[in-house]
Amino acid sequence: MTGWERFTDSFFNARVMAQYLPKIVEGFFLTVELAALIIVAGLALGLLLALVRAFAIRPLNWLIIFMVDLFRALPPLVIIVLLFFGLPNAGVELSGFVASWLALTLVLMAFSEEIFWAGITSVPKGQWEAARSTGLGFVQTLAWVVLPQALRITIPPLTNRTIAITKGTALASVVAVPDILGAANAGVSFSFNPSPLTLGAIAYLVLFFPVVVLGRWIETRFAWKR
Amino acid sequence: MPGPGRAPIVEARAIHKHFGHLHVLKGVDLTVAEKELVFLIGPSGSGKSTLLRCLNRLEDPSSGSVVVDGIDMLDPRTDINKARQRIGMVFQSFNLYPHMTALGNVALALRKVQGMGKAEAEAKAAAALDRVHLADRADHYPLQLSGGQQQRVAIARAIALEPRVMLFDEPTSALDPELVGGVLAVMRELREDGMTMVVVSHEMGFAKAAADRVVFMSDGAIIEEGIPSEIFTNPSHERTRAFISQIERH
Ligand SMILES: Nc1ncnc2c1ncn2[C@@H]1O[C@H](COP(=O)(O)OP(=O)(O)OP(=O)(O)O)[C@@H](O)[C@H]1O
Ligand SMILES: [Mg+2]
């Protein structure tokens, strides 16, 4: 066997790939489901916290800032492991899927809150004043004037963060979730051949490449009309 | 001067404003009669903007009273959002909403504050844009408009609400010189239509031609006031004289 043949046999072994493709496809859809649930819940909670913060209620804001800093400081894997192995001691049993979802949702919530908040504060004070001077209330100004502008500037950093954090769904394999990486790892251990990992990499590309392209499209779509 | 039979639209009494340790307004009285155009001048930092902003409560005065069109602006029972519709404000930096067309900018408060339907609000907004000679720019976004056009849209946004008084805070200071004239022309037309106006500006030519009264502020207080010819050619205070000669050198 030449080196090249050894390489293709290890990483592009058609027999092994065919055998584990169904598992990887299952893992793919599980990863999509997990990622979608994280994105929806994480971004919604992040936006909600940023909006609450806009009301400038001191004790509430301290609490939000503490939570946000906490989940930005902790490595996502540590949160997953704490929720999965730690919570049962407190009488709460979470499945690996739920523990991973909750952990990454909290992380995305924290990061996206900061991004949404930065977006809200970056809208010039003059926008608030112009709107309020025409009789719009605080909430109306936030909803119709400030938020639409804030969301536009948040789109690039938000897209990047969201992609980075949802790629963290691979961590779920640590708590026995058969996502793409979990399925690929299982395939490697049974077949003693790393080809399933190649399939896994392809699956991740198929999943995230369109997301990256979509992010780029949204960015140009929402640029100010000149 | 508020002559007999002309009810005051703005009555500010003994306005004090502190920003922390900074005493920015030191007991200012300002009365503006119906249809009067009052010009407010004074050195940078003298408190002109702060005074204007106290009139529609973008700034809360530390003490004093502000009555606009019979509404006590400082009474906590006053619905401030309702009251502000009677006081149009135009800013140095235009502050148009960049995500909305000119028409959208003007229609927003008509819809959300005055509760008009879309068609009604847009018809009224279009009429306001027509008054500032921008009917043909209704579909343009702010970044597609010149500074002068943006400022005229901002004026349309304010007058669409049919205010009883308009406050202008240096409306032409951010404009290239060749765009100033269009904005001043619109302001003059407003005045001819009988709008009550308080204008902070360095446009002395406009003041001489259009103002009923010039008020000179310095260091948080009104130093003197009078008709334009009097203030500009024969001010009674040294500080006014110094300020005017400085402005005219520019
Ligand atoms: N929000 C604020 N917080 C603290 N200080 C302020 C605030 N707004 C204004 N000031 C101060 O109040 C003083 C008066 O400001 P103001 O803007 O009313 O002056 P102005 O006469 O409009 O000046 P200019 O011609 O430069 O616009 C200044 O010293 C300014 O620094
Ligand atoms: Mg000013």
Side-chain angles (χ1 to χ4, degrees), chain A residues 125-127 129-138 140 144-145 148-149 152 224-226, chain B residues 53 56 81 84-85 87 91 95-100 108-109 112-113 141 143-144 157 161:
Chain A
K125 213 169 127 233
Q127 293 287 312
E129 294 178 344
R132 296 305 306 270
S133 78
T134 62
L136 288 163
F138 178 87
Q140 286 178 316
W144 303 108
V145 175
Q149 298 183 54
R152 268 174 214 234
W224 295 131
K225 294 237 174 23
R226 285 184 183 271
Chain B
R53 295 154 59 80
N56 67 354
N81 295 326
R84 278 180 179 150
Q85 293 169 62
I87 312 169
F91 304 83
N95 300 344
L96 292 184
Y97 315 133
H99 58 299
M100 292 181 190
L108 182 68
K112 303 300 172 191
V113 183
Y141 285 85
L143 286 174
Q144 299 168 326
R157 176 172 66 184
L161 296 166

mmCIF file of all heavy atoms in Angstrom, chain A residues 125-127 129-138 140 144-145 148-149 152 224-226, chain B residues 53 56 81 84-85 87 91 95-100 108-109 112-113 141 143-144 157 161:
data_model
loop_
_atom_site.group_PDB
_atom_site.id
_atom_site.type_symbol
_atom_site.label_atom_id
_atom_site.label_comp_id
_atom_site.label_asym_id
_atom_site.label_seq_id
_atom_site.Cartn_x
_atom_site.Cartn_y
_atom_site.Cartn_z
ATOM 1 N N LYS A 125 -28.301 59.420 20.468
ATOM 2 C CA LYS A 125 -29.273 60.010 21.374
ATOM 3 C C LYS A 125 -30.275 60.872 20.602
ATOM 4 O O LYS A 125 -31.441 60.974 20.974
ATOM 5 C CB LYS A 125 -28.510 60.870 22.398
ATOM 6 C CG LYS A 125 -29.138 60.897 23.769
ATOM 7 C CD LYS A 125 -28.168 61.553 24.762
ATOM 8 C CE LYS A 125 -28.840 62.678 25.501
ATOM 9 N NZ LYS A 125 -28.130 63.966 25.465
ATOM 10 N N GLY A 126 -29.809 61.504 19.536
ATOM 11 C CA GLY A 126 -30.674 62.367 18.732
ATOM 12 C C GLY A 126 -31.881 61.629 18.171
ATOM 13 O O GLY A 126 -32.928 62.233 17.939
ATOM 14 N N GLN A 127 -31.744 60.332 17.921
ATOM 15 C CA GLN A 127 -32.871 59.546 17.423
ATOM 16 C C GLN A 127 -33.962 59.447 18.486
ATOM 17 O O GLN A 127 -35.146 59.584 18.195
ATOM 18 C CB GLN A 127 -32.391 58.146 17.026
ATOM 19 C CG GLN A 127 -31.468 58.144 15.819
ATOM 20 C CD GLN A 127 -32.224 58.426 14.535
ATOM 21 O OE1 GLN A 127 -33.259 57.839 14.271
ATOM 22 N NE2 GLN A 127 -31.714 59.340 13.739
ATOM 23 N N GLU A 129 -34.359 61.586 20.914
ATOM 24 C CA GLU A 129 -34.914 62.924 21.155
ATOM 25 C C GLU A 129 -35.885 63.328 20.060
ATOM 26 O O GLU A 129 -36.947 63.885 20.343
ATOM 27 C CB GLU A 129 -33.771 63.934 21.267
ATOM 28 C CG GLU A 129 -32.925 63.671 22.496
ATOM 29 C CD GLU A 129 -31.762 64.620 22.614
ATOM 30 O OE1 GLU A 129 -31.415 65.282 21.615
ATOM 31 O OE2 GLU A 129 -31.195 64.694 23.718
ATOM 32 N N ALA A 130 -35.518 63.022 18.806
ATOM 33 C CA ALA A 130 -36.418 63.371 17.706
ATOM 34 C C ALA A 130 -37.746 62.642 17.878
ATOM 35 O O ALA A 130 -38.824 63.237 17.756
ATOM 36 C CB ALA A 130 -35.777 63.008 16.375
ATOM 37 N N ALA A 131 -37.683 61.357 18.191
ATOM 38 C CA ALA A 131 -38.908 60.573 18.320
ATOM 39 C C ALA A 131 -39.748 61.049 19.509
ATOM 40 O O ALA A 131 -40.953 61.271 19.385
ATOM 41 C CB ALA A 131 -38.572 59.091 18.475
ATOM 42 N N ARG A 132 -39.079 61.240 20.651
ATOM 43 C CA ARG A 132 -39.819 61.679 21.839
ATOM 44 C C ARG A 132 -40.422 63.065 21.615
ATOM 45 O O ARG A 132 -41.506 63.367 22.112
ATOM 46 C CB ARG A 132 -38.905 61.695 23.081
ATOM 47 C CG ARG A 132 -38.370 60.332 23.510
ATOM 48 C CD ARG A 132 -39.429 59.282 23.757
ATOM 49 N NE ARG A 132 -40.462 59.662 24.701
ATOM 50 C CZ ARG A 132 -40.410 59.451 26.008
ATOM 51 N NH1 ARG A 132 -39.353 58.879 26.538
ATOM 52 N NH2 ARG A 132 -41.420 59.794 26.784
ATOM 53 N N SER A 133 -39.730 63.923 20.852
ATOM 54 C CA SER A 133 -40.249 65.287 20.645
ATOM 55 C C SER A 133 -41.511 65.280 19.789
ATOM 56 O O SER A 133 -42.269 66.243 19.798
ATOM 57 C CB SER A 133 -39.177 66.183 20.008
ATOM 58 O OG SER A 133 -39.067 65.916 18.619
ATOM 59 N N THR A 134 -41.747 64.198 19.035
ATOM 60 C CA THR A 134 -43.001 64.136 18.276
ATOM 61 C C THR A 134 -44.100 63.447 19.073
ATOM 62 O O THR A 134 -45.178 63.192 18.543
ATOM 63 C CB THR A 134 -42.821 63.358 16.959
ATOM 64 O OG1 THR A 134 -42.441 62.013 17.263
ATOM 65 C CG2 THR A 134 -41.797 63.991 16.063
ATOM 66 N N GLY A 135 -43.811 63.100 20.327
ATOM 67 C CA GLY A 135 -44.848 62.522 21.176
ATOM 68 C C GLY A 135 -44.831 61.009 21.271
ATOM 69 O O GLY A 135 -45.675 60.417 21.950
ATOM 70 N N LEU A 136 -43.871 60.362 20.599
ATOM 71 C CA LEU A 136 -43.767 58.911 20.774
ATOM 72 C C LEU A 136 -43.314 58.620 22.199
ATOM 73 O O LEU A 136 -42.458 59.324 22.739
ATOM 74 C CB LEU A 136 -42.757 58.324 19.793
ATOM 75 C CG LEU A 136 -43.162 58.253 18.313
ATOM 76 C CD1 LEU A 136 -41.935 58.052 17.442
ATOM 77 C CD2 LEU A 136 -44.152 57.134 18.073
ATOM 78 N N GLY A 137 -43.874 57.577 22.807
ATOM 79 C CA GLY A 137 -43.476 57.195 24.155
ATOM 80 C C GLY A 137 -42.179 56.411 24.138
ATOM 81 O O GLY A 137 -41.625 56.113 23.080
ATOM 82 N N PHE A 138 -41.699 56.065 25.336
ATOM 83 C CA PHE A 138 -40.437 55.332 25.454
ATOM 84 C C PHE A 138 -40.498 54.002 24.703
ATOM 85 O O PHE A 138 -39.631 53.682 23.890
ATOM 86 C CB PHE A 138 -40.127 55.094 26.939
ATOM 87 C CG PHE A 138 -38.867 54.302 27.184
ATOM 88 C CD1 PHE A 138 -37.642 54.938 27.274
ATOM 89 C CD2 PHE A 138 -38.915 52.918 27.313
ATOM 90 C CE1 PHE A 138 -36.481 54.218 27.489
ATOM 91 C CE2 PHE A 138 -37.751 52.187 27.529
ATOM 92 C CZ PHE A 138 -36.538 52.835 27.616
ATOM 93 N N GLN A 140 -42.648 53.005 22.413
ATOM 94 C CA GLN A 140 -42.851 53.218 20.974
ATOM 95 C C GLN A 140 -41.542 53.601 20.290
ATOM 96 O O GLN A 140 -41.234 53.122 19.196
ATOM 97 C CB GLN A 140 -43.873 54.340 20.749
ATOM 98 C CG GLN A 140 -45.305 53.919 21.039
ATOM 99 C CD GLN A 140 -46.263 55.088 20.840
ATOM 100 O OE1 GLN A 140 -45.985 56.208 21.276
ATOM 101 N NE2 GLN A 140 -47.375 54.824 20.182
ATOM 102 N N TRP A 144 -40.092 51.338 17.312
ATOM 103 C CA TRP A 144 -40.197 51.792 15.923
ATOM 104 C C TRP A 144 -38.971 52.511 15.420
ATOM 105 O O TRP A 144 -38.734 52.576 14.213
ATOM 106 C CB TRP A 144 -41.424 52.700 15.749
ATOM 107 C CG TRP A 144 -42.683 52.040 16.150
ATOM 108 C CD1 TRP A 144 -43.434 52.314 17.261
ATOM 109 C CD2 TRP A 144 -43.347 50.957 15.489
ATOM 110 N NE1 TRP A 144 -44.505 51.466 17.323
ATOM 111 C CE2 TRP A 144 -44.483 50.627 16.248
ATOM 112 C CE3 TRP A 144 -43.068 50.240 14.330
ATOM 113 C CZ2 TRP A 144 -45.349 49.611 15.885
ATOM 114 C CZ3 TRP A 144 -43.939 49.223 13.962
ATOM 115 C CH2 TRP A 144 -45.061 48.922 14.741
ATOM 116 N N VAL A 145 -38.213 53.095 16.331
ATOM 117 C CA VAL A 145 -37.076 53.908 15.898
ATOM 118 C C VAL A 145 -35.745 53.251 16.266
ATOM 119 O O VAL A 145 -34.865 53.080 15.414
ATOM 120 C CB VAL A 145 -37.159 55.327 16.512
ATOM 121 C CG1 VAL A 145 -35.921 56.142 16.171
ATOM 122 C CG2 VAL A 145 -38.417 56.030 16.006
ATOM 123 N N PRO A 148 -35.152 48.885 15.241
ATOM 124 C CA PRO A 148 -34.843 48.555 13.843
ATOM 125 C C PRO A 148 -33.415 48.955 13.457
ATOM 126 O O PRO A 148 -32.757 48.252 12.700
ATOM 127 C CB PRO A 148 -35.865 49.378 13.046
ATOM 128 C CG PRO A 148 -36.974 49.642 13.991
ATOM 129 C CD PRO A 148 -36.360 49.729 15.354
ATOM 130 N N GLN A 149 -32.946 50.072 13.999
ATOM 131 C CA GLN A 149 -31.578 50.497 13.705
ATOM 132 C C GLN A 149 -30.572 49.634 14.441
ATOM 133 O O GLN A 149 -29.523 49.271 13.909
ATOM 134 C CB GLN A 149 -31.384 51.959 14.098
ATOM 135 C CG GLN A 149 -32.283 52.907 13.337
ATOM 136 C CD GLN A 149 -32.010 54.353 13.719
ATOM 137 O OE1 GLN A 149 -30.881 54.823 13.650
ATOM 138 N NE2 GLN A 149 -33.030 55.068 14.125
ATOM 139 N N ARG A 152 -29.993 46.198 12.830
ATOM 140 C CA ARG A 152 -29.148 46.219 11.644
ATOM 141 C C ARG A 152 -27.679 46.135 11.992
ATOM 142 O O ARG A 152 -26.929 45.386 11.366
ATOM 143 C CB ARG A 152 -29.376 47.502 10.844
ATOM 144 C CG ARG A 152 -30.429 47.309 9.811
ATOM 145 C CD ARG A 152 -30.743 48.612 9.142
ATOM 146 N NE ARG A 152 -32.163 48.577 8.818
ATOM 147 C CZ ARG A 152 -32.645 48.787 7.613
ATOM 148 N NH1 ARG A 152 -31.855 49.097 6.633
ATOM 149 N NH2 ARG A 152 -33.934 48.706 7.412
ATOM 150 N N TRP A 224 -27.883 50.274 4.916
ATOM 151 C CA TRP A 224 -28.717 51.466 4.704
ATOM 152 C C TRP A 224 -28.855 51.769 3.225
ATOM 153 O O TRP A 224 -27.902 51.686 2.470
ATOM 154 C CB TRP A 224 -28.118 52.693 5.382
ATOM 155 C CG TRP A 224 -28.067 52.595 6.854
ATOM 156 C CD1 TRP A 224 -26.979 52.853 7.636
ATOM 157 C CD2 TRP A 224 -29.109 52.230 7.740
ATOM 158 N NE1 TRP A 224 -27.293 52.667 8.942
ATOM 159 C CE2 TRP A 224 -28.585 52.282 9.040
ATOM 160 C CE3 TRP A 224 -30.448 51.852 7.581
ATOM 161 C CZ2 TRP A 224 -29.336 51.976 10.170
ATOM 162 C CZ3 TRP A 224 -31.190 51.544 8.699
ATOM 163 C CH2 TRP A 224 -30.636 51.616 9.956
ATOM 164 N N LYS A 225 -30.040 52.175 2.843
ATOM 165 C CA LYS A 225 -30.268 52.562 1.447
ATOM 166 C C LYS A 225 -29.585 53.897 1.165
ATOM 167 O O LYS A 225 -29.807 54.870 1.872
ATOM 168 C CB LYS A 225 -31.773 52.699 1.192
ATOM 169 C CG LYS A 225 -32.497 51.392 1.306
ATOM 170 C CD LYS A 225 -33.249 51.061 0.033
ATOM 171 C CE LYS A 225 -33.865 49.684 0.062
ATOM 172 N NZ LYS A 225 -34.109 49.117 1.365
ATOM 173 N N ARG A 226 -28.734 53.884 0.162
ATOM 174 C CA ARG A 226 -28.046 55.135 -0.193
ATOM 175 C C ARG A 226 -28.505 55.623 -1.539
ATOM 176 O O ARG A 226 -28.810 54.843 -2.378
ATOM 177 C CB ARG A 226 -26.534 54.920 -0.235
ATOM 178 C CG ARG A 226 -25.947 54.819 1.133
ATOM 179 C CD ARG A 226 -24.426 54.709 1.050
ATOM 180 N NE ARG A 226 -23.878 54.544 2.375
ATOM 181 C CZ ARG A 226 -23.539 55.561 3.145
ATOM 182 N NH1 ARG A 226 -23.675 56.795 2.717
ATOM 183 N NH2 ARG A 226 -23.054 55.340 4.345
ATOM 184 N N ARG B 53 -34.769 72.895 25.191
ATOM 185 C CA ARG B 53 -35.103 71.528 25.563
ATOM 186 C C ARG B 53 -35.915 71.458 26.855
ATOM 187 O O ARG B 53 -36.598 70.461 27.107
ATOM 188 C CB ARG B 53 -33.828 70.694 25.674
ATOM 189 C CG ARG B 53 -33.108 70.555 24.316
ATOM 190 C CD ARG B 53 -31.621 70.318 24.477
ATOM 191 N NE ARG B 53 -31.366 69.125 25.250
ATOM 192 C CZ ARG B 53 -31.426 67.915 24.722
ATOM 193 N NH1 ARG B 53 -31.656 67.755 23.449
ATOM 194 N NH2 ARG B 53 -31.215 66.857 25.465
ATOM 195 N N ASN B 56 -39.874 71.677 25.886
ATOM 196 C CA ASN B 56 -40.656 70.476 25.583
ATOM 197 C C ASN B 56 -40.269 69.308 26.490
ATOM 198 O O ASN B 56 -40.589 68.160 26.222
ATOM 199 C CB ASN B 56 -40.531 70.082 24.101
ATOM 200 C CG ASN B 56 -39.134 69.629 23.727
ATOM 201 O OD1 ASN B 56 -38.203 69.698 24.536
ATOM 202 N ND2 ASN B 56 -38.977 69.152 22.506
ATOM 203 N N ASN B 81 -46.511 63.079 26.347
ATOM 204 C CA ASN B 81 -46.475 62.703 24.930
ATOM 205 C C ASN B 81 -47.544 63.432 24.127
ATOM 206 O O ASN B 81 -47.355 63.755 22.960
ATOM 207 C CB ASN B 81 -46.634 61.188 24.789
ATOM 208 C CG ASN B 81 -45.453 60.457 25.392
ATOM 209 O OD1 ASN B 81 -44.325 60.933 25.349
ATOM 210 N ND2 ASN B 81 -45.724 59.302 25.985
ATOM 211 N N ARG B 84 -46.340 67.166 23.857
ATOM 212 C CA ARG B 84 -45.213 67.396 22.938
ATOM 213 C C ARG B 84 -45.654 67.514 21.485
ATOM 214 O O ARG B 84 -44.931 68.070 20.659
ATOM 215 C CB ARG B 84 -44.199 66.259 23.069
ATOM 216 C CG ARG B 84 -43.258 66.454 24.244
ATOM 217 C CD ARG B 84 -42.298 65.308 24.327
ATOM 218 N NE ARG B 84 -41.363 65.472 25.445
ATOM 219 C CZ ARG B 84 -40.831 64.467 26.114
ATOM 220 N NH1 ARG B 84 -41.152 63.226 25.795
ATOM 221 N NH2 ARG B 84 -39.986 64.690 27.089
ATOM 222 N N GLN B 85 -46.831 66.973 21.155
ATOM 223 C CA GLN B 85 -47.294 67.107 19.778
ATOM 224 C C GLN B 85 -47.580 68.552 19.423
ATOM 225 O O GLN B 85 -47.631 68.908 18.251
ATOM 226 C CB GLN B 85 -48.561 66.277 19.576
ATOM 227 C CG GLN B 85 -48.315 64.787 19.680
ATOM 228 C CD GLN B 85 -49.614 64.036 19.742
ATOM 229 O OE1 GLN B 85 -50.394 64.092 18.813
ATOM 230 N NE2 GLN B 85 -49.852 63.362 20.851
ATOM 231 N N ILE B 87 -45.619 70.953 20.243
ATOM 232 C CA ILE B 87 -44.332 71.645 20.216
ATOM 233 C C ILE B 87 -43.422 70.926 19.236
ATOM 234 O O ILE B 87 -42.884 69.866 19.529
ATOM 235 C CB ILE B 87 -43.686 71.637 21.620
ATOM 236 C CG1 ILE B 87 -44.696 72.067 22.685
ATOM 237 C CG2 ILE B 87 -42.448 72.513 21.621
ATOM 238 C CD1 ILE B 87 -44.214 71.842 24.102
ATOM 239 N N PHE B 91 -33.702 69.843 14.967
ATOM 240 C CA PHE B 91 -32.379 69.733 15.578
ATOM 241 C C PHE B 91 -31.280 70.082 14.566
ATOM 242 O O PHE B 91 -31.448 69.943 13.360
ATOM 243 C CB PHE B 91 -32.149 68.299 16.071
ATOM 244 C CG PHE B 91 -33.203 67.815 17.025
ATOM 245 C CD1 PHE B 91 -34.402 67.290 16.550
ATOM 246 C CD2 PHE B 91 -32.993 67.869 18.396
ATOM 247 C CE1 PHE B 91 -35.379 66.833 17.434
ATOM 248 C CE2 PHE B 91 -33.965 67.412 19.281
ATOM 249 C CZ PHE B 91 -35.159 66.900 18.795
ATOM 250 N N ASN B 95 -31.550 64.389 12.633
ATOM 251 C CA ASN B 95 -32.085 63.232 13.359
ATOM 252 C C ASN B 95 -33.242 62.555 12.641
ATOM 253 O O ASN B 95 -34.204 62.116 13.272
ATOM 254 C CB ASN B 95 -32.533 63.620 14.776
ATOM 255 C CG ASN B 95 -31.401 64.174 15.610
ATOM 256 O OD1 ASN B 95 -30.240 63.999 15.262
ATOM 257 N ND2 ASN B 95 -31.719 64.842 16.689
ATOM 258 N N LEU B 96 -33.139 62.441 11.326
ATOM 259 C CA LEU B 96 -34.141 61.643 10.621
ATOM 260 C C LEU B 96 -33.891 60.176 10.914
ATOM 261 O O LEU B 96 -32.764 59.770 11.192
ATOM 262 C CB LEU B 96 -34.059 61.895 9.110
ATOM 263 C CG LEU B 96 -34.479 63.282 8.644
ATOM 264 C CD1 LEU B 96 -34.442 63.350 7.119
ATOM 265 C CD2 LEU B 96 -35.873 63.629 9.145
ATOM 266 N N TYR B 97 -34.958 59.367 10.819
ATOM 267 C CA TYR B 97 -34.811 57.932 11.042
ATOM 268 C C TYR B 97 -34.253 57.314 9.758
ATOM 269 O O TYR B 97 -34.931 57.321 8.723
ATOM 270 C CB TYR B 97 -36.156 57.299 11.391
ATOM 271 C CG TYR B 97 -36.967 58.089 12.399
ATOM 272 C CD1 TYR B 97 -38.319 58.351 12.181
ATOM 273 C CD2 TYR B 97 -36.383 58.587 13.560
ATOM 274 C CE1 TYR B 97 -39.065 59.079 13.094
ATOM 275 C CE2 TYR B 97 -37.129 59.320 14.481
ATOM 276 C CZ TYR B 97 -38.465 59.562 14.240
ATOM 277 O OH TYR B 97 -39.204 60.285 15.135
ATOM 278 N N PRO B 98 -33.040 56.769 9.811
ATOM 279 C CA PRO B 98 -32.387 56.336 8.559
ATOM 280 C C PRO B 98 -33.038 55.117 7.913
ATOM 281 O O PRO B 98 -32.821 54.855 6.736
ATOM 282 C CB PRO B 98 -30.950 56.015 9.002
ATOM 283 C CG PRO B 98 -31.044 55.749 10.459
ATOM 284 C CD PRO B 98 -32.171 56.588 10.976
ATOM 285 N N HIS B 99 -33.843 54.383 8.675
ATOM 286 C CA HIS B 99 -34.443 53.157 8.132
ATOM 287 C C HIS B 99 -35.809 53.421 7.511
ATOM 288 O O HIS B 99 -36.488 52.485 7.107
ATOM 289 C CB HIS B 99 -34.551 52.101 9.220
ATOM 290 C CG HIS B 99 -35.358 52.537 10.415
ATOM 291 N ND1 HIS B 99 -35.013 53.614 11.194
ATOM 292 C CD2 HIS B 99 -36.485 52.036 10.959
ATOM 293 C CE1 HIS B 99 -35.885 53.753 12.160
ATOM 294 N NE2 HIS B 99 -36.802 52.818 12.048
ATOM 295 N N MET B 100 -36.210 54.696 7.463
ATOM 296 C CA MET B 100 -37.519 55.014 6.902
ATOM 297 C C MET B 100 -37.359 56.037 5.782
ATOM 298 O O MET B 100 -36.472 56.876 5.827
ATOM 299 C CB MET B 100 -38.426 55.618 7.967
ATOM 300 C CG MET B 100 -38.819 54.651 9.052
ATOM 301 S SD MET B 100 -39.897 55.494 10.210
ATOM 302 C CE MET B 100 -39.954 54.257 11.505
ATOM 303 N N LEU B 108 -44.694 58.579 10.801
ATOM 304 C CA LEU B 108 -44.599 57.711 11.987
ATOM 305 C C LEU B 108 -45.434 58.202 13.171
ATOM 306 O O LEU B 108 -46.262 57.464 13.707
ATOM 307 C CB LEU B 108 -43.131 57.539 12.412
ATOM 308 C CG LEU B 108 -42.938 56.610 13.621
ATOM 309 C CD1 LEU B 108 -43.275 55.169 13.258
ATOM 310 C CD2 LEU B 108 -41.520 56.684 14.182
ATOM 311 N N ALA B 109 -45.205 59.457 13.569
ATOM 312 C CA ALA B 109 -45.934 59.956 14.736
ATOM 313 C C ALA B 109 -47.428 60.111 14.436
ATOM 314 O O ALA B 109 -48.268 59.930 15.315
ATOM 315 C CB ALA B 109 -45.346 61.283 15.218
ATOM 316 N N LYS B 112 -48.540 56.423 14.955
ATOM 317 C CA LYS B 112 -48.359 55.794 16.267
ATOM 318 C C LYS B 112 -48.831 56.674 17.416
ATOM 319 O O LYS B 112 -49.204 56.176 18.466
ATOM 320 C CB LYS B 112 -46.885 55.432 16.476
ATOM 321 C CG LYS B 112 -46.311 54.523 15.422
ATOM 322 C CD LYS B 112 -47.056 53.202 15.346
ATOM 323 C CE LYS B 112 -46.595 52.393 14.148
ATOM 324 N NZ LYS B 112 -47.468 51.224 13.902
ATOM 325 N N VAL B 113 -48.761 58.002 17.233
ATOM 326 C CA VAL B 113 -49.164 58.890 18.327
ATOM 327 C C VAL B 113 -50.589 59.386 18.112
ATOM 328 O O VAL B 113 -51.415 59.357 19.012
ATOM 329 C CB VAL B 113 -48.197 60.091 18.449
ATOM 330 C CG1 VAL B 113 -48.595 60.968 19.627
ATOM 331 C CG2 VAL B 113 -46.761 59.600 18.607
ATOM 332 N N TYR B 141 -34.722 57.701 1.006
ATOM 333 C CA TYR B 141 -34.230 57.498 2.370
ATOM 334 C C TYR B 141 -33.319 58.665 2.733
ATOM 335 O O TYR B 141 -32.736 59.299 1.847
ATOM 336 C CB TYR B 141 -33.484 56.169 2.463
ATOM 337 C CG TYR B 141 -34.421 54.991 2.464
ATOM 338 C CD1 TYR B 141 -34.898 54.447 1.281
ATOM 339 C CD2 TYR B 141 -34.866 54.451 3.675
ATOM 340 C CE1 TYR B 141 -35.785 53.380 1.291
ATOM 341 C CE2 TYR B 141 -35.746 53.390 3.691
ATOM 342 C CZ TYR B 141 -36.210 52.847 2.495
ATOM 343 O OH TYR B 141 -37.088 51.811 2.524
ATOM 344 N N LEU B 143 -30.325 59.020 3.697
ATOM 345 C CA LEU B 143 -28.977 59.044 3.124
ATOM 346 C C LEU B 143 -28.980 59.366 1.638
ATOM 347 O O LEU B 143 -27.940 59.622 1.055
ATOM 348 C CB LEU B 143 -28.274 57.709 3.371
ATOM 349 C CG LEU B 143 -27.812 57.499 4.817
ATOM 350 C CD1 LEU B 143 -27.262 56.096 5.020
ATOM 351 C CD2 LEU B 143 -26.764 58.531 5.207
ATOM 352 N N GLN B 144 -30.155 59.319 1.022
ATOM 353 C CA GLN B 144 -30.247 59.679 -0.392
ATOM 354 C C GLN B 144 -30.565 61.160 -0.576
ATOM 355 O O GLN B 144 -30.751 61.608 -1.705
ATOM 356 C CB GLN B 144 -31.343 58.838 -1.072
ATOM 357 C CG GLN B 144 -31.063 57.340 -1.026
ATOM 358 C CD GLN B 144 -32.255 56.499 -1.434
ATOM 359 O OE1 GLN B 144 -33.386 56.867 -1.179
ATOM 360 N NE2 GLN B 144 -31.994 55.362 -2.049
ATOM 361 N N ARG B 157 -41.692 66.685 9.347
ATOM 362 C CA ARG B 157 -42.041 65.728 10.405
ATOM 363 C C ARG B 157 -42.664 66.452 11.600
ATOM 364 O O ARG B 157 -43.607 65.970 12.219
ATOM 365 C CB ARG B 157 -40.781 64.959 10.828
ATOM 366 C CG ARG B 157 -40.984 64.013 11.981
ATOM 367 C CD ARG B 157 -39.762 63.154 12.220
ATOM 368 N NE ARG B 157 -38.594 63.919 12.663
ATOM 369 C CZ ARG B 157 -37.380 63.394 12.854
ATOM 370 N NH1 ARG B 157 -37.177 62.102 12.636
ATOM 371 N NH2 ARG B 157 -36.379 64.144 13.248
ATOM 372 N N LEU B 161 -47.656 67.407 12.585
ATOM 373 C CA LEU B 161 -48.438 67.196 13.810
ATOM 374 C C LEU B 161 -49.230 68.451 14.184
ATOM 375 O O LEU B 161 -49.890 68.478 15.213
ATOM 376 C CB LEU B 161 -47.506 66.797 14.962
ATOM 377 C CG LEU B 161 -46.788 65.453 14.759
ATOM 378 C CD1 LEU B 161 -45.637 65.304 15.753
ATOM 379 C CD2 LEU B 161 -47.761 64.298 14.915
#
